[in-house]
Amino acid sequence: MIIKSATFICSNTKVSALPVANMPEYAFIGRSNVGKSSLINMLVNQHGLAKTSQRPGKTQLINHFLINEKWYIVDLPGYGYAKVSKSSREKWEKFIRNYITKRESLQCIFVLIDSRLEPQKIDLEFCCWLGEIQIPFALVFTKADKQSAVKTDQNVSAFKKALKGWFEEIPPYFVTSSEKSIGRDPVLDFIEQVNLDFVMPILTPKEDF
């Protein structure tokens, strides 16, 4: 897939205020500081489209980016150790759940995993929740350039093995590096293939959630 354009459209905290769900969209989510914004910028080859920060938890909104005038990348708030109040965290979790479970045009969630780490409970639990509610997802192992390929392979294999306790079939997975542009083509090719099967959803009036 060739990326010809990537445009920021809007930021929201309410699913009811999001763009009309008439094009396929792909959400990116992961633990805070997993490299989500850098990955998005690498995929679209546009530095600074998604805002990066050294402070975990900076993304607090649902951010939509229109790609090639045909599909959306959606930047979701990270989960995990962000230093925020309990009430703020609960509010984020609620609108993330609403988006994931009620967005008609959502085709796949890319769950970002830090390839440098052994399987983390919070990542496994999130993947299992997606499986329980039957939301399609793929794994994206980030920061592969920060260590040896052998270590990356070991951690990827360990995560896949941990998932086998809950899943009959392991979801698609990609190994990436934002700095080296590793994994860019496989991720975009995957999206291109899913786009071919997109069917316009029957849209219903939204509640104000």
Side-chain angles (χ1 to χ4, degrees):
M1 178 190 295
I2 298 174
I3 303 299
K4 298 179 180 179
S5 64
T7 307
F8 169 75
I9 299 299
C10 62
S11 295
N12 281 293
T13 59
K14 292 184 177 181
V15 177
S16 57
L18 297 180
V20 176
N22 59 358
M23 287 185 278
E25 55 190 67
Y26 301 83
F28 289 72
I29 193 170
R31 289 186 306 110
S32 298
N33 211 29
V34 74
K36 178 163 50 69
S37 296
S38 296
L39 177 74
I40 291 173
N41 291 336
M42 181 268 283
L43 290 176
V44 301
N45 197 27
Q46 187 170 320
H47 179 73
L49 181 68
K51 304 303 180 184
T52 60
S53 173
Q54 296 300 315
R55 180 166 61 87
K58 182 175 178 59
T59 302
Q60 301 178 20
L61 302 167
I62 301 175
N63 299 305
H64 269 68
F65 304 96
L66 181 60
I67 312 301
N68 289 348
E69 304 290 333
K70 293 181 178 180
W71 55 278
Y72 289 107
I73 280 178
V74 183
D75 184 5
L76 294 177
Y79 54 78
Y81 56 84
K83 296 180 180 180
V84 297
S85 67
K86 181 180 179 180
S87 60
S88 294
R89 184 168 62 250
E90 289 175 347
K91 182 179 179 181
W92 296 2
E93 291 173 351
K94 181 179 179 181
F95 76 72
I96 292 172
R97 286 195 303 270
N98 282 336
Y99 170 81
I100 290 173
T101 59
K102 299 179 181 181
R103 184 63 169 170
E104 300 96 332
S105 55
L106 177 61
Q107 301 300 292
C108 180
I109 294 181
F110 289 99
V111 182
L112 276 59
I113 309 294
D114 192 330
S115 70
R116 301 172 299 177
L117 305 178
E118 295 181 355
Q120 302 293 300
K121 181 180 178 181
I122 191 170
D123 293 327
L124 293 168
E125 289 179 343
F126 185 75
C127 290
C128 291
W129 177 67
L130 292 177
E132 289 173 357
I133 61 176
Q134 298 184 349
I135 299 294
F137 72 97
L139 303 172
V140 178
F141 294 92
T142 63
K143 305 184 180 183
D145 62 298
K146 303 300 183 182
Q147 62 188 355
S148 69
V150 171
K151 184 60 177 177
T152 295
D153 289 343
Q154 289 175 345
N155 288 339
V156 169
S157 295
F159 196 91
K160 290 164 59 183
K161 182 178 180 179
L163 279 185
K164 287 182 178 179
W166 289 276
F167 293 87
E168 293 183 0
E169 184 176 348
I170 300 301
Y173 69 94
F174 307 91
V175 175
T176 69
S177 164
S178 297
E179 290 189 10
K180 304 292 185 180
S181 293
I182 297 171
R184 182 176 186 268
D185 288 341
V187 172
L188 292 178
D189 288 346
F190 174 81
I191 291 173
E192 187 171 39
Q193 288 301 309
V194 176
N195 282 347
L196 293 176
D197 296 324
F198 176 71
V199 177
M200 183 78 70
I202 298 175
L203 304 180
T204 56
K206 295 291 187 299
E207 299 176 10
D208 189 23
F209 55 79

